[in-house]
Amino acid sequence: MRIGELAERTGVSVRALRYYEEQGLLASERSESGQRRYIENAVGRVRLIQQLYAAGISSASILEMLPCVVTGVAAPEVLAKLHGHRSSVVKQIEELQETLLQLDTVIAGATKAYATGVPCPPG
Amino acid sequence: MRIGELAERTGVSVRALRYYEEQGLLASERSESGQRRYIENAVGRVRLIQQLYAAGISSASILEMLPCVVTGVAAPEVLAKLHGHRSSVVKQIEELQETLLQLDTVIAGATKAYATGVPCPPG
DNA sequence: GCTACCTCTGACGTCAATGTCAGTTTTCTA
DNA sequence: TAGAAAACTGACATTGACGTCAGAGGTAGC
């Protein structure tokens, strides 16, 4: 498929897809005239990249771990980094859960207080 | 306390603290000579700010919700945004949990495969 | 009162993942 | 076979949360 279709199917901009390629994260064949052609597989790959980005993992780290994701095999060095990222993700989840509690407290309190008729200046 | 102490106690840089003030997120008294003085309370405030930042909430949004966090009261408009942020945090947690599963799969596979003697090129 | 560290303002630098624009070439559709 | 739509490269712009530096003034221990 061409880049526009991949963009549409993944919800990622064309510019971003070119950037992924630039970073070595996403491969493409080229047509005679030089246009990028992607295999079906690319859709899943792009989603994976987005997921890892969302976890705060940098392009460089993703680049390092991608071959292992694909082949399912990793050298000890890489494996150690994978464990590191795992820990980081776990920590992020814990922190977000704590944030959620705080937000819930605020929401509960604010809802109740507002019902009693003491408004807070709106933004 | 002075800015250096607050920085040390919160683990946040002096520069960041000034930035928070610039954004209206953190108040300070000033000494005669113009140096910032913080009350004990500031420590908790800074931690809260960090937590909200970590949840991907922007300065502007934090600024909007902070008075409500403090007073426990929010206008409906603000309350709606709080719910919006709550949803966003929930979604982030779900996505991170999915990422965690993926990472675990990779780690499990890679560990096992490496044990069988088929290394992946290291970074 | 000296010295070493702390703090101030202001301004420019950084970094990563894009956005955006320009000028050109390819590809699809009528 | 036009003409519109999509893709190309290359380069500069953006955004947010700071880092960093310069030059000047404040503060605390001896």
Side-chain angles (χ1 to χ4, degrees), chain A residues 51 73 86 99 104 110 118 120, chain B residues 51 72-73 86 99 104 110 118 120:
Chain A
Q51 203 164 50
V73 184
R86 199 205 116 95
T99 303
D104 281 340
V118 196
C120 161
Chain B
Q51 204 164 50
V73 184
R86 199 205 116 94
T99 303
D104 280 340
V118 197
C120 159

Side-chain angles (χ1 to χ4, degrees), chain A residues 59-82:
Chain A
S59 313
S61 293
I62 296 178
L63 181 56
E64 195 174 52
M65 71 171 69
L66 265 185
C68 308
V69 175
V70 175
T71 64
V73 184
E77 251 183 53
V78 175
L79 198 53
K81 293 201 179 177
L82 283 173

Side-chain angles (χ1 to χ4, degrees), chain A residues 48 51-52 54-57 64-65 67-69 71-79 82-83 85-87 89-90 92-93 95-100 102-104 106-107 109-111 113-114 118-123, chain B residues 48 51-52 54-57 64-65 67-69 71-79 82-83 85-87 89-90 92-93 95-100 102-104 106-107 109-111 113-114 118-123:
Chain A
L48 177 60
Q51 203 164 50
L52 295 175
I57 300 173
E64 195 174 52
M65 71 171 69
C68 308
V69 175
T71 64
V73 184
E77 251 183 53
V78 175
L79 198 53
L82 283 173
H83 277 289
H85 288 305
R86 199 205 116 95
S87 302
V89 172
V90 169
Q92 281 180 66
I93 291 175
E95 285 174 359
L96 283 178
Q97 279 168 343
E98 202 180 326
T99 303
L100 196 57
Q102 293 237 13
L103 275 179
D104 281 340
V106 174
I107 288 174
T111 306
Y114 191 78
V118 196
C120 161
Chain B
L48 177 60
Q51 204 164 50
L52 295 175
I57 299 173
E64 195 175 52
M65 71 171 68
C68 308
V69 175
T71 64
V73 184
E77 251 183 52
V78 176
L79 197 52
L82 283 173
H83 278 289
H85 287 306
R86 199 205 116 94
S87 302
V89 171
V90 169
Q92 281 179 66
I93 291 175
E95 284 173 0
L96 283 178
Q97 280 168 343
E98 202 180 327
T99 303
L100 196 57
Q102 293 238 12
L103 275 178
D104 280 340
V106 173
I107 289 174
T111 307
Y114 193 78
V118 197
C120 159

Side-chain angles (χ1 to χ4, degrees), chain A residues 12-74:
Chain A
V12 167
S13 74
V14 167
R15 176 67 179 88
L17 294 177
R18 294 204 189 102
Y19 174 76
Y20 296 168
E21 179 167 326
E22 202 177 311
Q23 299 302 304
L25 303 178
L26 181 64
S28 69
E29 305 271 292
R30 294 299 182 115
S31 72
E32 290 245 323
S33 66
Q35 290 201 351
R36 294 170 179 82
R37 293 298 140 93
Y38 299 94
I39 55 176
E40 192 60 27
N41 217 321
V43 175
R45 168 64 69 107
V46 170
R47 294 205 175 121
L48 177 60
I49 293 170
Q50 284 271 302
Q51 203 164 50
L52 295 175
Y53 272 146
I57 300 173
S58 70
S59 313
S61 293
I62 296 178
L63 181 56
E64 195 174 52
M65 71 171 69
L66 265 185
C68 308
V69 175
V70 175
T71 64
V73 184

Side-chain angles (χ1 to χ4, degrees), chain B residues 38-51:
Chain B
Y38 298 94
I39 57 177
E40 192 61 26
N41 218 320
V43 175
R45 168 66 67 108
V46 170
R47 295 204 174 123
L48 177 60
I49 294 170
Q50 285 271 303
Q51 204 164 50

